C-alpha cells in the first residue's frame, strides 16, 4: 500500500495482521453461497460480452476478472473483500430507473442522485449478505465501502491513526485499509489487462496517458511491480511508467516540515518532544 510501504512504523503491524489471518477463513460455504447468489442475480444482465465466441453477462464476467486478481493479490482475502470484488456492480443496470431528471437541476440534486444510486447498490449487496447470515460488522464494512463513507484512505493512514483508547492498536482499521487497497489494485490490473491494449491501438498517446493516470492514480507499489513485469511493447511500457503516481511519502514530508515527532506517533508539537510532562 502506498504510504504504508513508505512508513516503517506500519510494517510490523501489517505483518501482524497478515499473520493473524487463517489460511482458509472460516465458513467458506457461506461465502460460496453469497458469491453464487450474486452471479445468479447478475446473470440477468442485458449487456453481453463475447468470451471465446460465447455471449455471457458482462457483470458476471467482469466480477470474475476482479475476483481472480483479488485472490492473486491476497490469497487469504477475507469474505468482505471477496464479496466486494464480486458484487459491487450487482444488478447495476437497474440504476437507470433512478433518473437524474427526477432530482433538482443543481449541485445538491446531483449529489442526492449519486447518493441514492450508491445506496441502492449497497442495499442490494448487503441484503444478499444478510440473507447468507453475515454479522453486522461485516455487513457494515461492505456498506461503508459501497457508500464511500467512513473508510480509511490507504494512502494517508499512519500508525498514529490506529492508536485507540489506552494505547490499543486498531488492527481492524488497518485490515480495512489493506482491503481497500487490494480492491483498487485489482480494478487497475483488470483495466490494464482488458482495456489498455485496445486503447493503445485506437487512441493517441496523450489520450492513453490521461486515461492511464486516472486509472493508476491510487495503485500500490506492489501493483506497480506487477504492471512493470507484464509483457508490454517498449512504447506501452514507457506510457505505463509515466502514468504511475509519484511516491506518497507523507511521513517524510511531515518530518521535513514539522520535525521527527510529527511524523511518528507523538501527537504534540515537535518542539516539545523532549518536554517532561511530570
Amino acid at each position: 500500500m502506498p504510504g504504508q510501504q513508505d512508513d516503517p512504523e506500519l510494517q510490523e503491524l501489517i505483518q501482524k495482521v497478515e499473520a493473524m489471518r487463517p489460511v482458509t477463513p472460516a465458513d467458506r460455504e457461506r461465502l460460496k453461497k453469497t458469491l453464487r447468489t450474486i452471479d445468479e442475480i447478475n446473470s440477468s444482465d442485458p449487456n453481453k460480452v463475447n468470451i471465446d465466441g460465447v455471449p455471457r453477462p458482462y457483470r458476471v464476467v467482469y466480477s470474475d476478472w476482479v475476483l481472480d486478481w483479488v485472490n492473486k493479490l491476497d490469497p487469504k482475502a477475507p469474505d468482505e473483500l471477496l464479496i466486494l470484488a464480486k458484487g459491487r456492480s450487482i444488478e447495476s443496470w437497474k440504476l437507470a430507473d433512478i433518473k437524474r431528471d427526477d432530482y433538482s437541476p443543481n449541485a445538491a440534486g446531483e449529489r442526492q442522485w449519486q447518493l441514492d444510486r450508491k445506496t441502492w447498490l449497497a442495499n442490494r449487496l448487503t441484503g444478499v449478505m444478510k440473507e447468507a447470515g453475515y454479522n453486522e460488522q461485516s455487513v457494515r464494512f461492505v456498506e461503508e465501502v459501497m457508500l464511500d463513507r467512513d473508510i480509511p484512505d490507504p494512502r494517508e493512514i499512519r500508525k498514529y491513526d490506529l492508536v485507540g483508547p489506552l494505547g490499543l492498536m486498531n488492527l481492524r482499521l488497518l485490515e480495512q485499509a489493506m482491503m481497500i487497497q487490494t480492491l483498487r489494485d485489482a480494478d487497475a490490473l483488470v483495466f490494464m489487462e482488458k482495456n489498455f491494449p485496445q486503447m493503445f491501438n485506437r487512441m493517441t498517446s496523450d489520450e492513453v496517458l490521461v486515461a492511464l493516470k486516472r486509472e493508476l492514480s491510487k495503485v500500490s507499489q506492489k501493483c506497480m511491480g506487477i504492471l512493470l513485469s507484464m509483457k508490454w511493447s517498449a512504447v506501452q511500457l514507457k506510457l505505463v511508467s509515466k502514468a504511475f503516481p509519484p511516491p506518497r511519502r507523507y511521513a517524510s514530508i511531515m518530518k521535513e516540515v514539522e520535525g521527527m515527532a510529527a511524523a511518528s506517533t507523538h501527537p504534540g508539537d515537535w518542539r516539545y518532544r523532549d518536554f517532561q510532562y511530570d
Side-chain angles (χ1 to χ4, degrees):
M1 300 168 63
Q4 291 185 9
Q5 292 178 345
D6 294 334
D7 192 345
E9 288 186 323
L10 288 178
Q11 286 306 305
E12 182 179 349
L13 294 176
I14 292 173
Q15 293 171 4
K16 187 174 182 179
V17 169
E18 292 175 342
M20 289 170 58
R21 288 179 172 177
V23 175
T24 303
D27 203 357
R28 292 274 101 172
E29 286 303 317
R30 181 172 58 187
L31 173 65
K32 292 177 182 177
K33 176 184 177 181
T34 303
L35 299 184
R36 187 165 55 247
T37 300
I38 293 170
D39 270 348
E40 289 172 356
I41 293 171
N42 279 342
S43 65
S44 299
D45 187 355
N47 301 296
K48 308 296 180 182
V49 58
N50 284 323
I51 304 296
D52 298 327
V54 179
R56 294 190 58 204
Y58 173 74
R59 286 166 179 82
V60 173
V61 174
Y62 182 83
S63 63
D64 281 343
W65 291 338
V66 176
L67 186 65
D68 286 345
W69 267 116
V70 166
N71 281 315
K72 291 175 184 176
L73 293 167
D74 187 356
K76 295 182 181 180
D79 285 17
E80 301 100 317
L81 176 54
L82 298 175
I83 290 170
L84 282 164
K86 200 79 173 77
R88 281 175 299 164
S89 61
I90 185 171
E91 213 169 20
S92 58
W93 62 90
K94 290 189 176 182
L95 291 177
D97 296 334
I98 305 176
K99 301 184 184 300
R100 178 64 182 90
D101 291 343
D102 293 336
Y103 296 79
S104 301
N106 52 28
E110 175 71 20
R111 287 193 298 270
Q112 189 60 51
W113 176 63
Q114 294 286 359
L115 177 59
D116 287 351
R117 287 163 59 89
K118 290 180 180 179
T119 301
W120 190 93
L121 280 178
N123 290 340
R124 194 70 178 97
L125 183 55
T126 55
V128 173
M129 293 181 68
K130 290 175 182 177
E131 289 179 4
Y134 279 96
N135 61 39
E136 183 181 351
Q137 183 184 45
S138 295
V139 172
R140 185 169 61 251
F141 173 69
V142 169
E143 180 182 48
E144 289 172 350
V145 174
M146 295 290 287
L147 295 176
D148 194 19
R149 181 188 66 196
D150 298 331
I151 57 174
D153 188 338
R155 300 172 299 166
E156 299 292 356
I157 197 166
R158 294 186 293 163
K159 187 175 181 179
Y160 178 67
D161 301 319
L162 305 174
V163 179
L166 304 177
L168 297 177
M169 286 293 171
N170 188 349
L171 296 182
R172 176 61 177 172
L173 182 65
L174 179 58
E175 184 179 33
Q176 290 175 347
M178 294 165 64
M179 287 193 278
I180 295 298
Q181 187 60 63
T182 300
L183 274 177
R184 290 176 176 178
D185 288 350
D187 286 339
L189 288 162
V190 170
F191 172 82
M192 293 301 295
E193 274 191 333
K194 307 300 180 181
N195 298 96
F196 173 55
Q198 299 178 22
M199 294 173 57
F200 180 79
N201 290 329
R202 61 183 176 82
M203 297 170 63
T204 67
S205 59
D206 288 341
E207 291 172 331
V208 173
L209 185 58
V210 169
L212 288 181
K213 285 184 175 181
R214 181 184 64 246
E215 298 296 331
L216 304 183
S217 63
K218 297 181 180 180
V219 298
S220 68
Q221 293 179 7
K222 179 180 179 180
C223 182
M224 292 181 194
I226 294 172
L227 287 170
L228 291 175
S229 68
M230 290 180 170
K231 293 182 179 179
W232 309 116
S233 69
V235 177
Q236 287 175 328
L237 183 59
K238 185 175 181 180
L239 284 170
V240 172
S241 300
K242 289 180 67 176
F244 285 153
R248 297 181 65 93
R249 299 183 181 274
Y250 184 83
S252 297
I253 296 171
M254 291 297 292
K255 196 179 301 180
E256 292 174 8
V257 174
E258 299 186 41
M260 178 67 72
S264 68
T265 57
H266 192 289
D269 190 310
W270 69 273
R271 292 169 293 183
Y272 301 100
R273 61 186 180 276
D274 297 323
F275 185 80
Q276 299 299 320
Y277 290 93
D278 295 333

